[in-house]
Amino acid sequence: MRLERSSLLPLLVLAAVPFLVRAQGLPAPSAESRTVEVELQSTDGGTSVSAEDATRLGLTTDGGEAALVPPTLVADAPAAWPVGLEGTPGEVTLELLVDEQGAVAEVKVVDAPHEPRLTEAALQAAPGLRFTPATLAGVPVAVRLPFVYRFVPPAAPVPVSTARLTGEVRARGTRRPLADALLFVDGSTEPAGTVDAQGRFTLELRPGTHRVEARAPGHTPSTFEETLSEGQSLQVIYRLQPGRVNPYETVVRDDRPRTEVTRITLHEQELREVPGTLGDPFRVVMLMPGVGSLASGISYPVVRGSQPAATGFFLDGVRIPMLYHLMLGPAVIHPDFIDTVDFFPGSPPVQYGRLLGGAVEGRLSRPREDRLHVTAYADLLNSGGFIEYPFESTGTSVSVAGRVSYSALLISLGSKLLSGSDAEKVHANFWDYQARIEQKVGEGRVRLFALGSSDDVGSSPSTYYIGSTGGSIVSRFHRVDLRGTHPLAGGDAEVGLTVGSDALGLDGEESERLPSGAISFRKVGEYALRQTTFAMRAGWKRRLDSTLELAVGGDVEHRRAATDITGTGIPPGTNPDDPVDPIKSPSSLATFSGVYAAVTWVPAEKWVLQPGVRLDNYHLSPGINHAVVEPRLTVRHQLTDALVLKGGAGVFHQSPTVLVHLPAVDTSSLRYGLQEGLQFDVGAEWKAMDGLELSGDAFYNPLTRAVELDLQQVVENRRRRGLATPDPSTSGYAYGFELMARHPLGRDWFGWVSYSFLQSKRRVLIDRYGDDDHVVSTQKGTLPFAFEQAHVINAALSYKFGNNWTVGTVVHFNTGRPESGEITTLTQRIVTTPEGEAHWVRQDRDKSERLDAFFRVDLRVAKSWAMEDFTLDAYLDVLNVSARQEVIAYDYGFDRAGTPQRKPQSLPIILPLLGVKGTY
């Protein structure tokens, strides 16, 4: 490409003339030549040299100025555009020294562009310029002058006739842009074009018919035939079939550095495609090391031998009361809202407060900002949907989801088939909803998130006769959370405000005859617990330097609870006319507040220490106050590149608990004081090889004070009835170890194997029973806790085949819990009277037996299809495909021959789910 040049403008005059011009009376030839440089003056008459400078040059001007005749360009020397250079126009300003013969004797760069190849091209071309010599008072002289090379990129050659093909390359089914795709035209071995990050491309082609082949890694190449006419611009979308639909790819993300003793984080298909979990992320926790269960399929974890209510469930910092539908069903939040699940079996970080056991935190997925996303599914238990849409112009994202169960219909049909049409109508149904609006605000974000859940399980009276009874357990909760995040003072800040409502009710019904003669049923009583919650939280984290990070925060939670009892079963001293609004007339009013601070310190390259402290205050009106301090410490040492040693300790407190979370219980029970325990944990993590992670933990958790209430104590409400209440506190301890081998998501499969040895003890009063089945004495002793399962083994495996079939299985084994009469039957023994008659009497609890061990196998089989713009999955997920029955109690009696029998009572809990799911 040729250049454009500027006009010439003399800058300086250089007289390198020997002072030998006799006519002007200059020195003799023998005199030595010297160089004199003077400035020029611009006047209306042209360019000249002042009289003083003319005298210095030895010119005779009769006291006037000497006129300069500037040089003119007689031979151009164009600078070519550098070969292979792509860019924008540029200018190179040079200063040329043109000698007395008009040749360029010297070149200097005055102003250069960013591209050095343009400057080099100008320097190479400038010496070829030729000028007429400049004259001063008729004498040839050398001058300095500026010269500008203006470079313009060459225009693309324009064929005589062209057509344009534009479009996008996407993955079939997911619509994901394929940024690594290549395009080949008419069988060429060299790509004719590539695509950008959004999968877009543009090709300039000759008019006619062309075969365009699109290729992308992990996708089947496809060839498309396009016919173009002269001047036409055709827009297309090419969809490539993925080799695997939703492949098991290694998850690459900016994981948080590990500062905890034990944290197990699960992603993607590890959350949604584990057999026996109904596709629910939170149910996977039941297969983690250190976790026992109430019964097979019931998803409230018994973490390291603690009560289920001692483990806290959180959703982005918001504590969730009832996590699972009907205890057997899925969690109360749609799976598509969950990005990761963090499980802390012991020594959780200081931001998790007011809990005695472990912590489970689900992290909401970040809104996707590229396009509309829709998910819908239906199976034998429930159906649901998820919709997410970004408004790019305002930086707003809206997501909504919900599910509804029709299990009540299925159970009702099954009940009629098995028991007859006149039997009580069994029902069990649930629904939930979630909605999120997230807005970008400067460098931060504001999010409004709402969720709610309802469960209703029970039986309705028969309408075939009068006096039939029935009842229901109804549980509901709602949460609305407003959260903001923004950089602050060199760190990241978060503030949140949450409003919640919880309710749990026991409803009684009875059939009666209406005046018309028909039989119907009416509500005859209710026992309900209602609670309203207002909470605020704030946190701030900042990295102070390369070795130090500070995290501080706090929260306050105000709970107002009320008890509502109506009907014929009202306890003495209860006034049915008492208001039961938890806002206006609470029966218990409590405020929980806490602050925390933690420092992550890297004192040396291979050491990480995290000391922290938490201060909490529990206040129950009127006048009950408990303030506690909880120091915690975590240490990690990188022994080698693959091996980490770790340890931690901490103090933990919690309100008195019952089996699972119940509204009003953890507020009104503060009159019994707090539970207190310590947690000590040591272990190691070893990345043995690529795709194999091994870990082991040993723990000891002494309970200095435990207040673990049972349901009977809560329902009887002895204090309200004016009865004496013995101190329910006790003490105990738990210890054990956990081993886990894990293959993280990747290479078309994932899986793990874990073994847990768990021992949990409580110091309690033991009744001694005589042969007449009466208590003869009582003494203190240490017994296995009601939830203790000594050995638990879990193995999970899921593999995605190349034909988009996925097969997975889970194997679970646990030894039995004590048959101690707390959550199951109490062991009995045979006594023979002097008359020779045998009968069963209660056994002392320290001599009780255990329930039988339990073993089950789960199975999941799925097939995926990539349609044009959506994916379709069909799946069969079966909990307990082995059809094993778990023993939950024993029945003590005699057979027809009078032989004593200890018959196991067992439940064959089998949950088969056949369903389909579409994702757009």
Side-chain angles (χ1 to χ4, degrees):
M1 174 57 61
R2 293 185 61 82
L3 58 87
E4 296 180 10
R5 54 184 174 80
S6 69
S7 58
L8 303 180
L9 176 63
L11 176 64
L12 299 173
V13 62
L14 178 71
V17 189
F19 292 162
L20 183 62
V21 186
R22 292 187 179 87
Q24 298 176 345
L26 299 179
S30 61
E32 185 177 349
S33 298
R34 62 189 180 89
T35 301
V36 177
E37 191 167 314
V38 298
E39 292 190 10
L40 300 175
Q41 296 180 0
S42 296
T43 64
D44 293 339
T47 305
S48 61
V49 175
S50 67
E52 180 180 352
D53 287 338
T55 302
R56 291 173 58 203
L57 293 172
L59 301 176
T60 302
T61 59
D62 298 330
E65 297 175 346
L68 174 73
V69 178
T72 57
L73 182 65
V74 295
D76 198 358
W81 181 269
V83 177
L85 177 62
E86 297 181 2
T88 58
E91 292 186 354
V92 181
T93 302
L94 304 176
E95 183 181 273
L96 307 180
L97 173 59
V98 181
D99 62 16
E100 298 91 327
Q101 286 76 39
V104 177
E106 180 181 314
V107 181
K108 293 182 180 179
V109 179
V110 175
D111 190 15
H114 293 296
E115 175 53 59
R117 284 177 286 181
L118 296 181
T119 302
E120 182 181 352
L123 291 175
Q124 291 178 354
L129 298 168
R130 290 295 181 269
F131 300 84
T132 59
T135 59
L136 182 63
V139 178
V141 292
V143 295
R144 293 187 185 276
L145 52 88
F147 196 90
V148 179
Y149 278 96
R150 292 188 175 92
F151 291 88
V152 178
V158 181
V160 176
S161 60
T162 62
R164 175 171 295 173
L165 180 66
T166 64
E168 302 176 35
V169 182
R170 301 177 182 173
R172 183 180 174 89
T174 63
R175 301 174 294 142
R176 179 173 59 89
L178 299 178
D180 49 1
L182 296 175
L183 300 171
F184 300 82
V185 177
D186 296 332
S188 173
T189 59
E190 294 294 326
T194 58
V195 302
D196 61 15
Q198 286 73 44
R200 296 182 297 236
F201 68 88
T202 299
L203 297 178
E204 301 289 343
L205 302 174
R206 299 185 310 276
T209 300
H210 299 275
R211 297 175 66 252
V212 181
E213 183 183 13
R215 304 177 190 172
H219 294 74
T220 304
S222 296
T223 300
F224 307 88
E225 188 172 286
E226 308 292 354
T227 300
L228 303 170
S229 58
E230 182 177 341
Q232 181 184 8
S233 181
L234 179 64
Q235 189 169 7
V236 297
I237 296 178
Y238 293 152
R239 298 174 176 86
L240 301 187
Q241 178 71 33
R244 286 177 172 83
V245 180
N246 299 322
Y248 285 1
E249 298 174 332
T250 301
V251 179
V252 180
R253 59 181 74 221
D254 184 18
D255 274 335
R256 294 150 287 150
R258 289 194 173 270
T259 57
E260 313 83 4
V261 183
T262 303
R263 184 189 83 207
I264 301 174
T265 300
L266 301 173
H267 306 283
E268 306 293 339
Q269 290 99 330
E270 291 175 310
L271 296 174
R272 301 177 179 88
E273 297 188 10
V274 178
T277 63
L278 314 181
D280 187 88
F282 287 101
R283 288 178 64 96
V284 183
V285 173
M286 299 302 300
L287 302 175
M288 294 292 101
V291 177
S293 63
L294 296 173
S296 176
I298 295 180
S299 298
Y300 281 90
V302 178
V303 179
R304 293 185 173 178
S306 62
Q307 204 174 40
T311 296
F313 293 93
F314 300 85
L315 194 61
D316 269 4
V318 179
R319 194 159 185 171
I320 304 300
M322 299 292 288
L323 187 62
Y324 300 101
H325 287 297
L326 308 176
M327 301 189 74
L328 282 171
V332 296
I333 183 169
H334 195 285
D336 284 6
F337 262 114
I338 303 299
D339 179 56
T340 60
V341 170
D342 291 334
F343 173 50
F344 304 90
S347 298
V350 291
Q351 61 264 34
Y352 302 104
R354 299 188 286 278
L355 51 85
L356 203 60
V360 179
E361 169 128 35
R363 299 189 179 275
L364 290 181
S365 58
R366 195 180 184 94
R368 290 164 289 189
E369 301 173 350
D370 52 349
R371 57 187 182 272
L372 172 68
H373 292 267
V374 179
T375 300
Y377 76 92
D379 55 39
L380 296 179
L381 180 65
N382 68 120
S383 59
F386 174 88
I387 301 176
E388 183 173 72
Y389 185 75
F391 296 88
E392 185 178 356
S393 59
T394 61
T396 308
S397 177
V398 177
S399 310
V400 294
R403 289 178 294 186
V404 61
S405 167
Y406 30 79
S407 55
L409 176 61
L410 300 178
I411 293 175
S412 178
L413 291 175
S415 177
K416 286 184 177 181
L417 290 175
L418 296 175
S419 304
S421 58
D422 61 340
E424 296 177 350
K425 299 177 182 178
V426 180
H427 65 271
N429 51 51
F430 63 82
W431 52 260
D432 62 54
Y433 69 90
Q434 304 87 43
R436 174 180 64 187
I437 301 176
E438 188 155 331
Q439 175 67 53
K440 294 180 181 178
V441 180
E443 299 181 49
R445 288 175 175 264
V446 175
R447 185 193 71 199
L448 180 64
F449 182 62
L451 72 159
S453 167
S454 173
D455 296 89
D456 184 355
V457 59
S459 62
S460 301
S462 171
T463 56
Y464 284 83
Y465 61 93
I466 301 172
S468 174
T469 59
S472 299
I473 301 177
V474 180
S475 172
R476 291 190 178 96
F477 83 87
H478 304 273
R479 291 290 185 276
V480 178
D481 180 65
L482 179 63
R483 172 178 180 256
T485 58
H486 201 278
L488 177 67
D492 295 313
E494 174 188 345
V495 294
L497 173 65
T498 306
V499 178
S501 172
D502 304 341
L504 176 66
L506 306 176
D507 297 336
E509 296 174 331
E510 184 178 11
S511 60
E512 64 176 1
R513 187 177 300 277
L514 300 177
S516 63
I519 298 177
S520 183
F521 55 85
R522 63 183 178 89
K523 184 175 180 180
V524 295
E526 179 186 26
Y527 181 91
L529 302 173
R530 296 184 175 89
Q531 180 173 280
T532 302
T533 303
F534 304 92
M536 294 180 63
R537 68 189 185 279
W540 179 74
K541 180 185 291 187
R542 179 183 176 182
R543 178 168 292 279
L544 303 178
D545 57 37
S546 60
T547 64
L548 203 63
E549 184 178 78
L550 173 65
V552 296
D555 67 284
V556 59
E557 186 175 2
H558 180 69
R559 301 179 187 173
R560 307 173 73 92
T563 304
D564 183 11
I565 305 176
T566 61
T568 58
I570 300 175
T574 301
N575 184 0
D577 296 328
D578 288 343
V580 293
D581 189 323
I583 301 295
K584 299 178 180 178
S585 304
S587 57
S588 66
L589 189 146
T591 301
F592 303 83
S593 57
V595 294
Y596 66 84
V599 174
T600 303
W601 179 36
V602 185
E605 181 181 358
K606 296 182 179 296
W607 288 88
V608 177
L609 280 75
Q610 190 181 65
V613 63
R614 182 177 181 94
L615 286 76
D616 278 290
N617 187 77
Y618 302 72
H619 176 74
L620 176 65
S621 297
I624 297 178
N625 210 67
H626 304 286
V628 295
V629 179
E630 298 180 349
R632 303 182 193 179
L633 174 65
T634 300
V635 180
R636 294 176 67 89
H637 176 52
Q638 189 85 36
L639 193 63
T640 68
D641 290 342
L643 181 61
V644 174
L645 304 180
K646 57 186 182 177
V651 179
F652 298 83
H653 296 84
Q654 187 172 357
S655 303
T657 52
V658 72
L659 181 64
V660 293
H661 170 83
L662 296 177
V665 171
D666 47 4
T667 58
S668 60
S669 62
L670 282 175
R671 59 175 59 94
Y672 298 121
L674 297 181
Q675 302 185 88
E676 181 181 66
L678 291 84
Q679 296 188 18
F680 301 95
D681 194 333
V682 295
E685 298 170 356
W686 180 33
K687 291 188 177 181
M689 62 180 70
D690 185 26
L692 178 59
E693 300 175 358
L694 305 177
S695 64
D697 288 87
F699 66 91
Y700 175 64
N701 298 344
L703 276 171
T704 57
R705 190 174 193 271
V707 185
E708 296 160 324
L709 308 174
D710 59 39
L711 289 173
Q712 184 177 355
Q713 289 172 305
V714 174
V715 173
E716 285 182 349
N717 202 353
R718 297 174 63 90
R719 176 176 291 270
R720 182 167 184 170
R721 294 166 57 187
L723 302 178
T725 54
D727 182 8
S729 67
T730 182
S731 62
Y733 57 89
Y735 65 91
F737 65 87
E738 304 149 3
L739 303 174
M740 184 177 189
R742 178 185 178 191
H743 181 280
L745 189 66
R747 298 179 181 175
D748 300 324
W749 71 285
F750 69 86
W752 63 82
V753 178
S754 68
Y755 167 74
S756 304
F757 172 72
L758 305 168
Q759 293 288 292
S760 182
K761 312 296 180 183
R762 296 294 185 272
R763 186 164 179 79
V764 297
L765 290 173
I766 304 174
D767 292 332
R768 302 296 182 188
Y769 294 95
D771 291 347
D772 59 355
D773 205 24
H774 292 115
V775 177
V776 296
S777 66
T778 301
Q779 68 181 71
K780 278 198 170 184
T782 300
L783 297 179
F785 189 39
F787 301 102
E788 180 189 274
Q789 292 174 318
H791 306 279
V792 180
I793 299 174
N794 290 300
L797 173 66
S798 184
Y799 188 85
K800 185 175 284 289
F801 294 89
N803 56 3
N804 289 319
W805 280 93
T806 303
V807 178
T809 186
V810 162
V811 177
H812 169 84
F813 169 82
N814 65 262
T815 52
R817 296 181 301 277
E819 191 195 6
S820 55
E822 295 168 282
I823 60 173
T824 182
T825 52
L826 176 62
T827 302
Q828 298 185 27
R829 59 187 173 90
I830 282 290
V831 173
T832 304
T833 65
E835 292 79 18
E837 182 180 349
H839 63 275
W840 291 100
V841 299
R842 286 171 289 182
Q843 180 69 280
D844 299 343
R845 289 173 61 191
D846 57 344
K847 299 176 183 178
S848 63
E849 304 287 341
R850 285 184 175 266
L851 304 179
D852 288 349
F854 176 68
F855 167 83
R856 78 164 194 267
V857 177
D858 306 331
L859 176 68
R860 186 179 189 274
V861 179
K863 170 67 173 176
S864 301
W865 295 271
M867 314 306 283
E868 187 168 285
D869 280 325
F870 68 95
T871 60
L872 182 65
D873 298 270
Y875 55 88
L876 174 64
D877 192 347
V878 185
L879 174 74
N880 194 15
V881 70
S882 52
R884 302 281 295 182
Q885 298 191 30
E886 182 174 17
V887 176
I888 59 173
Y890 289 97
D891 183 29
Y892 294 87
F894 300 87
D895 62 12
R896 292 183 178 181
T899 304
Q901 284 187 330
R902 181 178 182 245
K903 296 177 62 176
Q905 298 178 1
S906 56
L907 289 176
I909 298 180
I910 304 172
L911 292 178
L913 282 189
L914 178 64
V916 293
K917 176 183 177 181
T919 304
Y920 174 77

